[in-house]
């Protein structure tokens, strides 16, 4: 739910006509970022607040019945197709590229996928990108199984640069200067991930590449090749949240961050 900060930033940029050649989203960034390509500001906070307390959306009941804390059928079919329609036609018509990152359960490595159409397969890739281990089933696509892209490349700046995107706006949900640290608690998850040892390894070593990615972002900001938008302080919201006021607060923090960086973003992109 820290991604509601990102949604607030993106909505402000959309409302002011800021356009990009491409976007890459990871986890909640994939679920929320796709609305930029479909041109639907306000949709993320609207449906999250509308269904925050609906057990079909996110609940322990869903986890027990389906194996997914965020009910896959509800989140990636009923919601975008029926309850709060995703504009698939506008998404396909927009020339902006949209990429997502998922983690291959067999290798523990990042997989990058460009999604040009908002079809069933695209929604499965977005689902995979946001499927947290232990509270989500691996998402089967083709012959592979995939989980949360944040396990393997949560800040894919190098990936986008490898595609030729030389000036990038990076949105993080942690304050500038944040760093991860190793914890012994990760070891408790090893038996639970015995079917996917490389996923466990990715989780156990995540702090190393994540911190390296943050340092790389800082270096690109210093060189003038990246613009960072981040909250000024911790957002104080958990990965799962059912409190409407807390969700609105984090979204509003994102909006204020977007508004305060509009001029800088315009100058940077120009």
């Amino acid at each position: 739910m820290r991604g509601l900060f990102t949604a607030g930033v993106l909505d402000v940029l959309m409302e002011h006509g800021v356009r990009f050649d491409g976007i890459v989203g990871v986890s909640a960034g994939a679920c929320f970022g796709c609305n930029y390509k479909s041109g639907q500001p306000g949709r993320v906070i609207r449906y999250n607040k509308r269904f925050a307390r609906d057990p079909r959306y996110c609940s322990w009941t869903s986890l027990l019945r389906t194996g997914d804390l965020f009910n896959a059928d509800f989140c990636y079919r009923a919601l975008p197709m029926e309850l709060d329609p995703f504009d698939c036609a506008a998404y396909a018509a927009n020339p902006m590229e949209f990429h997502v990152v998922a983690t291959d359960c067999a290798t523990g490595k990042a997989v990058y996928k460009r999604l040009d159409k908002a079809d069933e397969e695209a929604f499965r890739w977005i689902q995979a990108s946001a499927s947290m281990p232990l509270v989500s089933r691996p998402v089967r696509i083709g012959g592979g199984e995939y989980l949360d892209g944040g396990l393997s490349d949560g800040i894919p700046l190098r990936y986008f640069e490898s595609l030729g995107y030389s000036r990038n706006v990076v949105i993080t949900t942690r304050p500038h200067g944040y760093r991860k640290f190793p914890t012994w608690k990760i070891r408790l998850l090893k038996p639970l991930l015995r079917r996917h040892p490389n996923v466990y390894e990715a989780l156990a070593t995540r702090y190393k590449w994540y911190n390296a990615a943050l340092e790389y972002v800082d270096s690109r900001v210093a060189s003038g090749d990246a613009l960072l938008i981040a909250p000024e302080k911790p957002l104080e919201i958990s990965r799962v949240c059912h409190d409407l006021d807390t969700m609105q607060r984090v979204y509003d923090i994102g909006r204020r961050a977007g508004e305060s960086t509009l001029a800088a973003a315009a100058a940077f992109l120009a």
Side-chain angles (χ1 to χ4, degrees):
M1 286 292 104
R2 289 195 311 272
L4 290 173
F5 169 85
T6 303
V9 173
L10 295 181
D11 281 357
V12 169
L13 296 179
M14 274 193 277
E15 291 162 3
H16 286 81
V18 178
R19 295 292 177 262
F20 299 96
D21 297 313
I23 287 181
V24 56
V26 186
S27 198
C31 292
F32 299 165
C34 61
N35 294 277
Y36 210 107
K37 184 170 166 64
S38 66
Q40 293 177 274
R43 181 172 179 270
V44 170
I45 187 63
R46 181 176 64 240
Y47 77 69
N48 271 282
K49 290 181 67 176
R50 177 183 173 188
F51 297 111
R53 296 170 180 167
D54 190 322
R56 297 173 300 168
Y57 181 44
C58 173
S59 66
W60 294 113
T61 299
S62 172
L63 179 63
L64 292 172
R65 289 181 176 177
T66 72
D68 293 303
L69 186 65
F70 286 86
N71 186 292
D73 181 69
F74 184 84
C75 294
Y76 301 101
R77 184 197 58 79
L79 198 160
M81 295 294 103
E82 301 167 5
L83 301 172
D84 196 323
F86 185 77
D87 195 334
C88 297
Y91 180 98
N94 189 339
M96 180 181 68
E97 293 184 4
F98 184 70
H99 301 242
V100 300
V101 186
T103 299
D104 188 323
C105 292
T107 66
K109 304 296 184 183
V111 174
Y112 307 92
K113 186 69 176 179
R114 175 176 163 177
L115 306 176
D116 294 326
K117 298 185 297 181
D119 55 15
E120 182 179 350
E121 181 178 343
F123 284 124
R124 288 192 67 76
W125 278 109
I126 292 172
Q127 176 191 349
S129 183
S131 290
M132 297 180 290
L134 303 180
V135 294
S136 306
R137 294 171 297 170
V139 179
R140 291 182 176 274
I141 306 174
E145 291 186 323
Y146 304 92
L147 281 170
D148 199 313
L151 295 171
S152 52
D153 192 0
I155 310 176
L157 177 57
R158 288 182 186 271
Y159 164 70
F160 237 38
E161 288 182 338
S162 76
L163 299 181
Y165 290 96
S166 58
R167 296 180 68 76
N168 293 281
V169 175
V170 180
I171 303 174
T172 66
T173 60
R174 299 287 195 179
H176 181 244
Y178 171 82
R179 293 295 185 269
K180 289 187 179 296
F181 295 95
T183 171
W184 62 268
K185 295 178 182 178
I186 293 292
R187 301 173 192 169
L188 300 177
L189 304 180
K190 191 171 185 177
L192 302 176
L193 291 169
R194 58 185 178 276
R195 287 188 57 246
H196 302 292
N198 287 326
V199 171
Y200 169 77
E201 186 63 23
L203 190 61
T205 59
R206 182 179 179 226
Y207 72 96
K208 295 181 180 179
W209 67 254
Y210 187 87
N211 291 341
L214 290 172
E215 291 169 5
Y216 184 71
V217 170
D218 287 346
S219 72
R220 301 307 282 165
V221 171
S223 68
D225 297 301
L227 175 69
L228 175 65
I229 302 177
E232 294 181 353
K233 57 184 180 180
L235 294 172
E236 297 181 353
I237 188 172
S238 61
R239 289 182 177 86
V240 176
C241 178
H242 301 286
D243 183 80
L244 305 188
D245 291 338
T246 299
M247 296 166 74
Q248 185 68 51
R249 175 182 59 80
V250 171
Y251 172 78
D252 289 341
I253 292 172
R255 287 196 62 91
R256 290 194 292 272
E259 290 163 355
S260 67
T261 57
L262 264 176
F268 175 76
L269 295 170

